[in-house]
């Protein structure tokens, strides 16, 4: 089963290209400074979500825009703050998708599909469901 969960060489190259592109264009490296869950940084979490999302799409032979899937997954938590600090942390699950979108919009060109991935990834905490397969995967 392990081989089935590995990305094809072509998809791994696309993943690496998109990750490199985002690191060069914006503030993605800033995510390395904030903790997401336990000892995992937001950056590590986002890279993991992007890889797992692409693996799921490949494994289930889902027709998706792979570049949008990777970009959206890498940017889905682009909120650029430590959510453990501050008064609003108990609302973080509800509010961070919009914050991540606003930050990503400043630093990157986002397609409607990537926007949908970022803004809707916390459904049902965010009340409006995703409208594309890529956002459902993330």
């Amino acid at each position: 089963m392990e081989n089935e969960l590995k990305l094809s060489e072509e998809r791994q190259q696309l993943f690496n290209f998109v990750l490199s592109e985002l690191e060069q264009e914006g503030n993605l490296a800033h995510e390395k400074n904030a903790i997401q869950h336990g000892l995992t940084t937001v950056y590590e979490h986002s890279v993991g979500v992007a890889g797992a999302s692409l693996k799921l799409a490949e494994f289930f032979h889902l027709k998706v825009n792979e570049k949008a899937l990777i970009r959206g997954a890498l940017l889905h938590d682009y909120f650029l703050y430590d959510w453990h600090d501050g008064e609003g942390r108990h609302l973080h699950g509800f509010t961070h998708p919009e914050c991540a979108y606003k930050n990503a919009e400043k630093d990157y060109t986002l397609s409607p599909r990537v926007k949908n991935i970022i803004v809707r990834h916390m459904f049902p905490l965010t009340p409006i469901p995703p409208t594309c397969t890529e956002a459902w995967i993330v």
Side-chain angles (χ1 to χ4, degrees), residues 13-15 32 38 44 60 62 66 79 88 97-99 101 105 128:
Q13 287 177 353
L14 176 64
F15 182 91
K32 294 177 182 180
E44 292 166 333
F60 288 108
L62 300 173
E66 292 177 350
F79 44 82
E98 187 66 30
C99 181
Y101 167 67
E105 186 179 41
I128 302 171

Side-chain angles (χ1 to χ4, degrees), residues 63-103:
K63 287 190 169 207
V64 296
N65 179 321
E66 292 177 350
K67 186 171 183 180
L69 176 64
I70 298 165
R71 284 177 70 87
L74 288 171
L75 295 172
H76 81 280
D77 278 346
Y78 195 69
F79 44 82
L80 304 178
Y81 60 82
D82 186 343
W83 68 270
H84 302 88
D85 297 337
E87 288 182 28
R89 69 176 175 248
H90 59 283
L91 296 175
H92 172 76
F94 299 93
T95 61
H96 80 272
E98 187 66 30
C99 181
Y101 167 67
K102 287 179 181 176
N103 287 336

Side-chain angles (χ1 to χ4, degrees), residues 7 11 19 24 29 39 44 55 59 67 75-76 80 89 102 113:
L7 290 174
R11 285 184 176 87
L19 178 60
Q24 291 173 14
L39 299 176
E44 292 166 333
K55 288 174 190 175
F59 182 79
K67 186 171 183 180
L75 295 172
H76 81 280
L80 304 178
R89 69 176 175 248
K102 287 179 181 176
R113 193 171 301 266

Side-chain angles (χ1 to χ4, degrees), residues 6-19:
K6 282 189 172 184
L7 290 174
S8 66
E9 185 176 332
E10 180 182 335
R11 285 184 176 87
Q12 186 63 55
Q13 287 177 353
L14 176 64
F15 182 91
N16 293 341
F17 173 78
V18 173
L19 178 60

Side-chain angles (χ1 to χ4, degrees), residues 120-133:
R120 304 284 185 244
H121 81 272
M122 287 299 289
F123 179 78
L125 292 182
T126 52
I128 302 171
T131 59
C132 64
T133 303

